[in-house]
Amino acid sequence: MKKTLALLLTGILALSLALAGCSSSTSKEKDDGKGGSSEAKGGVLIYGKGGDAVGLDPAIVTDGESFIVTQQIFETLVKYGEDDTEIKSGLAKSWEVSDDAKTYTFKLETGIKFHDGTDFNADAVVKNFQRWAQSKDEGKFAYYASMFGGFEGDEGHVIKEVKAIDASTVEFTLNRPQAPFLKNLAMPTFAIASPDGIEKEGDDDFTKNPSGTGPFKFKSWKPGDTIEVVKNDDYWQDGLPKLDGVTFKVIKDNSARLNAAIKGEIDLMDGLNPSDISKVTGDEKLQIFERASMNVGYFAFNVEKAPFDKKEVRQAISHLINKKEIIDNFYEGTAEPAKNPMPPSVSGYNDKIEDYDYDVEKAKELLKEAGLEDGFKMDLWAMPVPRPYMPDGQKVAEAIQASLKQVGIEANIVSYEWAAYLEKVQAGEAQSFMMGWTGDNGDADNFLYTLLDKDNIGSNNYARYANDEVHELLIEAQSTADEAKRNELYGKAQEIIHDEAPWVPLVHSLPQLAGSKTVKGFVPHPTGSQSLVNVSLEN
């Protein structure tokens, strides 16, 4: 969700096609002055996506539909590589780490302005981190609490102090070493926002009128329809961005979005149905983009609600899910079965674990042990929007519903609009639910600790799963620099989680995107969203 860490949400509103905006042909008329029909053009790129943003304050939002927009407006101290999670310089041009790994000193780029005209400097960095750390509001700043062990004063809080040494130097002092600290800082949720803008607008309005240092400035938002960002003419990196702007267009249905791309009404789209890949490869005007897999789609249980407070029931259902059939029917070869809460591409993945095989008789035995041999009634919450790890949540839910019926479990499928769905699941209202996560930083901590540690109940641990041994393993792994030791700890944690089965991990997908062949320089990032600073349009 990516992923996820997720929660505080305004709604996906009804789709409106009446304000389709400029077509691709008319949006590319402005030349950047280089000349030549094959040269990069300015113009506005139209990006079609399946749902509206929840908000545009990256510190508050947790969903991918928001982050694809906020990454155009805001920037982080350090950033990921173009197609990986290696750490590169961002607003900080260099940094030093103390021998005990508890002090990080960053030298900042100078001469940068926020979009509202105020200065980016060390004080601005300090004020952003103070805003998050001192808030004590898990409902609002869940990502901060999840990635840094709570808030200021909490026992597990990682960051002891953030202070400005001078205008271009900021020092972080940690209470304990945190191995993925730099990778956490590169997450889009920790982008640096204008302190003056936050003070002027307040949290509720800043998320609708954001100000960062990024290559594009916020222009307008028509809820349920479009969000427009325009070129930041004062951007601190020379020659960038290449586009005059980006319009994010909500087209909820995947097939309708593809039709818009075929007609030239949009330039780029995410959420391509696997079954529609051939339509793109067969069209000389279109191209396929494949995002590297760093995700997991899962079916989870609220372990605080009966009967899912019994491990045997969770294990029984794990034996009832035919993952191969789901992949064959809904992913067209663009996914692989999942057995762990994290994908094989992430260091620390435990490949020795044997998945729950599809075994109806074994499921019946386990239900009998739980005293539920006659089955039971339950609610199964299905995602209302296509996500990279779940192209059609409703159909997958129906497949699970049919499987459960084999042992007398009657599953009632429930859904809400996207923002309400996230909010209710996060609040623990769902009995069982479908969800997924795209990794934020390429570290095992961002899957296991973020999604399944007891510290994150109320934020991204939607299953509300708590295990003290798992917690101790994950905290030790956070504080251990040795990669082999960390991987051993994560391997043990996965064994316990697999046995207790708070989730049924379903798939790791290879998300497909489609776009016009005029789109150049677009590299889908494994984290699920990326800056479009280097993207151009060519005739």
Side-chain angles (χ1 to χ4, degrees):
M1 114 232 340
K2 182 11 217 35
K3 2 289 142 343
T4 33
L5 291 214
L7 9 283
L8 6 301
L9 320 146
T10 66
I12 279 182
L13 303 179
L15 171 65
S16 169
L17 295 176
L19 297 173
C22 298
S23 71
S24 294
S25 60
T26 59
S27 68
K28 302 168 189 173
E29 292 175 356
K30 183 177 177 181
D31 197 317
D32 67 355
K34 294 180 180 179
S37 61
S38 64
E39 294 293 337
K41 302 289 182 180
V44 176
L45 180 134
I46 313 296
Y47 189 112
K49 61 198 195 87
D52 202 358
V54 168
L56 298 179
D57 180 348
I60 290 177
V61 298
T62 61
D63 64 299
E65 300 290 12
S66 298
F67 282 136
I68 188 58
V69 182
T70 66
Q71 284 205 272
Q72 316 316 318
I73 301 169
F74 297 91
E75 295 174 301
T76 46
L77 292 178
V78 292
K79 63 183 181 181
Y80 304 124
E82 187 177 50
D83 59 359
D84 57 34
T85 54
E86 293 299 312
I87 295 299
K88 309 288 185 182
S89 59
L91 291 174
K93 60 185 177 181
S94 64
W95 55 91
E96 294 181 356
V97 186
S98 64
D99 291 340
D100 64 1
K102 288 185 179 181
T103 304
Y104 289 73
T105 305
F106 295 89
K107 292 299 293 184
L108 307 180
E109 295 282 359
T110 57
I112 298 176
K113 298 280 189 182
F114 289 106
H115 299 159
D116 59 11
T118 57
D119 292 330
F120 164 78
N121 52 32
D123 285 337
V125 175
V126 171
K127 288 177 181 178
N128 272 264
F129 277 86
Q130 287 178 339
R131 177 196 182 205
W132 308 327
Q134 296 174 1
S135 72
K136 298 286 186 180
D137 190 344
E138 282 196 34
K140 183 172 289 184
F141 299 113
Y143 253 120
Y144 182 88
S146 182
M147 302 315 297
F148 296 118
F151 297 103
E152 189 175 285
D154 291 346
E155 181 180 353
H157 190 224
V158 170
I159 299 176
K160 181 179 181 180
E161 183 182 22
V162 183
K163 66 179 180 180
I165 304 301
D166 55 45
S168 61
T169 310
V170 63
E171 181 182 87
F172 288 72
T173 304
L174 309 187
N175 287 308
R176 58 179 172 86
Q178 186 186 49
F181 182 69
L182 287 174
K183 286 193 171 184
N184 289 346
L185 289 185
M187 290 165 54
T189 194
F190 302 122
I192 306 302
S194 164
D196 282 28
I198 294 168
E199 183 176 357
K200 177 183 176 182
E201 301 283 350
D203 288 341
D204 290 342
D205 289 332
F206 186 77
T207 197
K208 304 171 188 174
N209 187 28
S211 177
T213 62
F216 298 95
K217 296 181 177 182
F218 173 74
K219 179 183 178 182
S220 68
W221 186 356
K222 298 174 182 175
D225 185 19
T226 56
I227 296 174
E228 294 180 280
V229 296
V230 296
K231 182 176 183 176
N232 177 9
D233 290 325
D234 299 317
Y235 188 52
W236 60 280
Q237 297 193 55
D238 291 341
L240 296 173
K242 298 177 181 179
L243 295 166
D244 291 317
V246 183
T247 297
F248 296 93
K249 174 69 179 173
V250 176
I251 304 176
K252 188 173 182 180
D253 180 73
N254 286 4
S255 297
R257 206 175 318 122
L258 176 57
N259 286 336
I262 291 171
K263 293 176 183 177
E265 295 171 352
I266 62 176
D267 301 295
L268 189 61
M269 61 163 284
D270 57 23
L272 177 67
N273 284 329
S275 58
D276 287 333
I277 291 174
S278 60
K279 292 183 181 179
V280 178
T281 57
D283 190 323
E284 63 180 9
K285 294 181 180 180
L286 299 179
Q287 59 182 316
I288 287 278
F289 300 95
E290 185 172 84
R291 195 182 297 283
S293 180
M294 198 171 73
N295 62 41
V296 60
Y298 63 89
F299 172 48
F301 313 102
N302 184 334
V303 300
E304 295 178 350
K305 290 183 179 289
F308 302 121
D309 54 345
K310 295 183 178 182
K311 180 174 74 172
E312 294 81 6
V313 175
R314 304 192 299 265
Q315 290 177 332
I317 291 180
S318 297
H319 279 294
L320 289 171
I321 309 302
N322 192 329
K323 299 175 187 179
K324 182 180 184 303
E325 188 176 85
I326 288 172
I327 289 170
D328 288 345
N329 289 337
F330 307 118
Y331 289 84
E332 302 280 336
T334 63
E336 62 178 343
K339 62 181 180 181
N340 292 321
M342 55 190 268
S345 59
V346 173
S347 181
Y349 179 83
N350 189 341
D351 199 30
K352 294 180 180 178
I353 287 175
E354 293 187 12
D355 199 6
Y356 291 92
D357 57 339
Y358 178 62
D359 190 335
V360 176
E361 293 307 312
K362 180 63 176 176
K364 289 179 179 178
E365 291 176 15
L366 287 163
L367 288 175
K368 187 174 182 179
E369 288 180 31
L372 293 166
E373 60 266 37
D374 296 327
F376 54 89
K377 294 182 179 180
M378 59 175 278
D379 285 339
L380 193 171
W381 287 34
M383 299 173 66
V385 297
R387 303 302 303 137
Y389 41 75
M390 194 75 62
D392 194 326
Q394 182 71 27
K395 287 183 179 178
V396 175
E398 290 169 1
I400 294 174
Q401 180 187 50
S403 293
L404 299 181
K405 196 171 183 180
Q406 296 176 96
V407 295
I409 299 175
E410 296 182 27
N412 175 47
I413 296 176
V414 175
S415 195
Y416 297 87
E417 55 85 17
W418 184 223
Y421 184 92
L422 288 173
E423 186 174 28
K424 290 174 178 292
V425 171
Q426 188 247 350
E429 295 182 26
Q431 187 182 22
S432 73
F433 54 92
M434 298 175 66
M435 189 57 77
W437 184 256
T438 298
D440 292 298
N441 62 16
D443 197 276
D445 179 77
N446 184 238
F447 283 87
L448 301 180
Y449 177 77
T450 298
L451 303 177
L452 287 162
D453 189 81
K454 66 179 185 178
D455 281 352
N456 291 318
I457 294 173
S459 59
N460 292 295
N461 183 351
Y462 297 137
R464 310 183 82 79
Y465 170 69
N467 180 287
D468 289 339
E469 185 178 359
V470 168
H471 175 73
E472 290 172 6
L473 288 166
L474 297 181
I475 294 301
E476 184 179 353
Q478 279 187 358
S479 306
T480 300
D482 183 81
E483 188 72 5
K485 178 61 175 175
R486 292 187 79 211
N487 289 347
E488 180 183 341
L489 295 166
Y490 287 131
K492 290 179 181 178
Q494 287 167 81
E495 290 174 3
I496 298 168
I497 292 166
H498 178 77
D499 177 65
E500 298 209 319
W503 291 8
V504 182
L506 297 174
V507 300
H508 305 299
S509 72
L510 284 166
Q512 305 294 306
L513 301 89
S516 165
K517 285 191 175 176
T518 61
V519 176
K520 304 296 181 183
F522 175 69
V523 181
H525 199 269
T527 57
S529 61
Q530 59 283 308
S531 171
L532 301 174
V533 65
N534 286 306
V535 174
S536 62
L537 297 170
E538 295 181 7
N539 289 333

